[in-house]
Amino acid sequence: MLTMIEEFFQNVGALDAIKVTLLLAFSSTSIATILGVLFGLLLEKYHFPFKNLVIRINRTLMGVPPVVIGLVVYLLLMRRGPLGSFSLLFTIRGMIIAQVFIITPIISGTVYAYAAKFAPQVRNFAKTVGATPLQTELLVLKEMRSEIYFAIVSGFGRSISEVGAVMLVGGNIKGRTRTMTTAISLLKSQGIYSEGIMLGIILLIMAFIVQTIAEHFKKEDIYDENF
Amino acid sequence: MKISNLKLEVSEFKMDIADLNIERGFKHAFVGPNGSGKSTLAKAIMQIIPNHSVDLEGLSSIDIMLAPQRPYLLHDTVMNNILYPLKIRNRKVNNDELISLLDMFNLTDKKNQYARSLSSGEQQKVSLIRCLLCHPVYLIIDEALSNLDSESVMRIEEIIKNDKETTWILISHQLTQVLNICDKVHFLDKGKLIESGDTEEVLLKSKNEIIQNYMSNQVIKVRE
């Protein structure tokens, strides 16, 4: 059993794949959180021409197939592409860029949807107690904390389960850019199902933990009933 | 506080008030039928509906507070909800006053409870306590006593009557309450200020047909 596990980690490069997956997920989710939360809140607060079009584009990007984003980022980062001089193709940094493009619309779209529903009430309340504009915006953030956490966890979940874009941009290089999902994809094509399933189970456990955290934050809403 | 040339359009509702003076040191009431614009006027004063018609005469937004009928409570405990307005003012709470108010409104045992799990009447009490602790220059009570039990209403009425510091603005359909507490009444109808003046002069002695009709309808309702 021990040798089987040892073989699994050595042959497939499972440990490296887990490391890359986590590094990728944490980095891209962190960047996408800053961009997405800020964009979602600004989109709710300000009115400008073509705002509805921007919201519609954001919603479209929330559901766009990652492989399409992967292809666009690949074309941008390839040697002859506009960003080719940065040599980011087949690197983790390149993969992070691709995932930021995938996750940011998910976080900004979710934050916008919640903010459109709740932020006006919070702002009105802040006015009734005499809060300054800065205190008001901090209060909006605080009052929406569980919704923001939920958006972040959704983004993180999307990141660890994503395969198309990281395969295209990262190139699935063992020990460097191979993630758990791209490793599973490779193992399947080689007919090595048992290792693929083991890796899948580890990924499933990670996804389960992430979803449990998300559920925990969603549960707060249950207590909002006015009896 | 002076309101001059206030023109608002909210959905299909139009408000047009040429001149309204809410003098400090008095207890005021906005009275009028449903949809007359009482709450809209309160929202305009609070700048919830942005406008340039409210002259605070040197006061800032921190000096005016509003306790609405359906208060917004933070996702936090009762105590943190009560202390929030003081916190943003960098002011310390008067512990004796806090304990006395919690006791008066039967919230002592619930101070560490999640505020949103309270009943609607208790939520109104939390909203009132957080305003009372701040002692604002102006305090607008927009139907904020509607879900309170009669004992709590009596207690808050006593507080209003004895308070010399705050200028109270009451929005209420309880005319006995208005007659009992308020010095000045501003009668509104369809977004217009019909009459302003001493409470009894406006409500009981006015020759205005709209006010007379409103008052006779209220008397019929009480008799029923």
Side-chain angles (χ1 to χ4, degrees):
Chain A
M1 180 73 179
L2 210 67
T3 32
M4 206 179 111
I5 294 171
E6 223 174 78
E7 262 177 34
F8 166 69
F9 279 109
Q10 274 171 6
N11 295 346
V12 185
L15 212 59
D16 285 327
I18 293 169
K19 272 188 212 164
V20 171
T21 303
L22 288 174
L23 176 69
L24 188 60
F26 278 112
S27 309
S28 53
T29 309
S30 303
I31 298 166
T33 296
I34 296 166
L35 297 173
V37 171
L38 199 68
F39 183 65
L41 290 176
L42 290 174
L43 196 57
E44 183 278 325
K45 192 176 177 190
Y46 294 104
H47 296 276
F48 51 88
F50 307 112
K51 181 176 171 171
N52 283 337
L53 182 68
V54 174
I55 294 166
R56 231 171 290 153
I57 290 169
N58 191 101
R59 282 187 188 142
T60 308
L61 289 174
M62 283 171 88
V64 80
V67 73
V68 175
I69 302 277
L71 184 64
V72 173
V73 175
Y74 179 89
L75 293 171
L76 286 171
L77 301 184
M78 64 191 279
R79 191 171 288 175
R80 282 170 295 161
L83 304 173
S85 57
F86 293 102
S87 303
L88 292 167
L89 199 60
F90 307 131
T91 66
I92 291 182
R93 279 190 288 175
M95 291 156 78
I96 290 171
I97 292 171
Q99 288 220 331
V100 166
F101 276 109
I102 296 165
I103 306 166
T104 303
I106 295 171
I107 296 178
S108 61
T110 313
V111 168
Y112 168 75
Y114 283 122
K117 201 175 167 190
F118 300 118
Q121 296 174 41
V122 182
R123 291 204 184 96
N124 286 348
F125 161 73
K127 279 182 180 161
T128 66
V129 292
T132 62
L134 179 65
Q135 287 168 338
T136 303
E137 292 317 311
L138 289 175
L139 188 67
V140 169
L141 269 178
K142 198 181 167 204
E143 284 298 284
M144 280 185 53
R145 61 192 180 274
S146 61
E147 286 78 12
I148 290 172
Y149 284 138
F150 182 72
I152 294 168
V153 169
S154 301
F156 187 84
R158 179 68 176 259
S159 171
I160 58 165
S161 60
E162 202 277 313
V163 57
V166 287
M167 182 82 95
L168 274 173
V169 178
N172 198 18
I173 304 164
K174 188 182 174 184
R176 280 180 57 201
T177 59
R178 182 168 296 169
T179 65
M180 292 167 80
T181 49
T182 56
I184 291 169
S185 175
L186 182 73
L187 287 166
K188 183 254 159 198
S189 66
Q190 290 172 345
I192 312 169
Y193 297 113
S194 55
E195 276 91 342
I197 286 169
M198 272 176 83
L199 214 50
I201 289 169
I202 297 170
L203 195 60
L204 210 65
I205 292 167
M206 283 165 65
F208 180 77
I209 293 167
V210 168
Q211 285 308 314
T212 308
I213 296 167
E215 278 301 308
H216 169 76
F217 289 119
K218 284 297 281 177
K219 265 181 190 166
E220 272 194 16
D221 293 343
I222 297 167
Y223 300 107
D224 286 0
E225 299 291 336
N226 190 349
F227 298 106
Chain B
M1 185 196 301
K2 278 183 182 157
I3 297 161
S4 46
N5 202 21
L6 178 69
K7 287 183 200 292
L8 296 174
E9 241 183 282
V10 186
S11 301
E12 284 176 19
F13 179 77
K14 285 181 185 172
M15 172 159 265
D16 187 355
I17 293 176
D19 192 36
L20 172 60
N21 189 13
I22 305 173
E23 288 173 79
R24 275 169 73 171
F26 292 99
K27 273 105 189 167
H28 296 261
F30 293 161
V31 177
N34 290 331
S36 57
K38 304 182 292 291
S39 295
T40 307
L41 182 56
K43 283 178 190 163
I45 292 170
M46 298 307 301
Q47 294 297 326
I48 290 171
I49 303 170
N51 65 87
H52 300 287
S53 302
V54 181
D55 179 9
L56 298 177
E57 299 176 313
L59 298 175
S60 69
S61 61
I62 215 158
D63 299 311
I64 308 171
M65 289 181 87
L66 167 74
Q69 186 176 17
R70 280 184 287 177
Y72 180 88
L73 294 188
L74 305 174
H75 292 272
D76 215 326
T77 61
V78 169
M79 189 55 99
N80 286 341
N81 265 278
I82 288 171
L83 297 180
Y84 178 75
L86 286 167
K87 197 174 138 192
I88 60 171
R89 286 166 170 77
N90 284 325
R91 270 166 52 184
K92 281 188 179 165
V93 65
N94 179 335
N95 275 322
D96 294 339
E97 192 183 13
L98 173 66
I99 292 164
S100 143
L101 284 169
L102 284 172
D103 197 37
M104 184 189 287
F105 291 114
N106 298 322
L107 286 174
T108 308
D109 296 339
K110 296 182 175 178
K111 64 183 179 190
N112 295 320
Q113 201 172 310
Y114 184 59
R116 292 186 168 210
S117 66
L118 297 178
S119 71
S120 51
E122 287 170 327
Q123 293 195 8
Q124 284 191 337
K125 288 176 185 177
V126 172
S127 167
L128 285 165
I129 294 175
R130 67 182 168 197
C131 291
L132 290 169
L133 282 172
C134 288
H135 298 284
V137 178
Y138 284 94
L139 177 51
I140 306 172
I141 303 284
D142 186 0
E143 305 267 11
L145 314 179
S146 57
N147 293 326
L148 300 191
D149 51 87
S150 53
E151 202 182 321
S152 300
V153 173
M154 273 165 61
R155 282 172 178 170
I156 192 82
E157 281 178 0
E158 276 308 305
I159 292 176
I160 301 173
K161 269 192 214 168
N162 298 326
D163 186 20
K164 303 265 186 286
E165 203 179 336
T166 297
T167 300
W168 294 73
I169 303 170
L170 213 67
I171 298 175
S172 174
H173 287 286
Q174 303 292 321
L175 290 178
T176 44
Q177 194 175 61
V178 172
L179 284 161
N180 194 20
I181 299 172
C182 299
D183 312 301
K184 306 275 180 192
V185 162
H186 312 281
F187 195 96
L188 293 134
D189 186 51
K190 293 176 186 164
K192 289 191 165 55
L193 180 67
I194 304 297
E195 203 169 314
S196 263
D198 291 342
T199 305
E200 288 194 11
E201 293 291 326
V202 175
L203 293 183
L204 303 177
K205 296 174 188 168
S206 174
K207 290 193 171 68
N208 186 290
E209 209 175 311
I210 297 167
I211 298 175
Q212 283 179 347
N213 281 341
Y214 176 77
M215 289 306 290
S216 56
N217 284 338
Q218 295 300 312
V219 172
I220 291 164
K221 273 184 197 166
V222 170
R223 279 183 185 154
E224 279 172 357

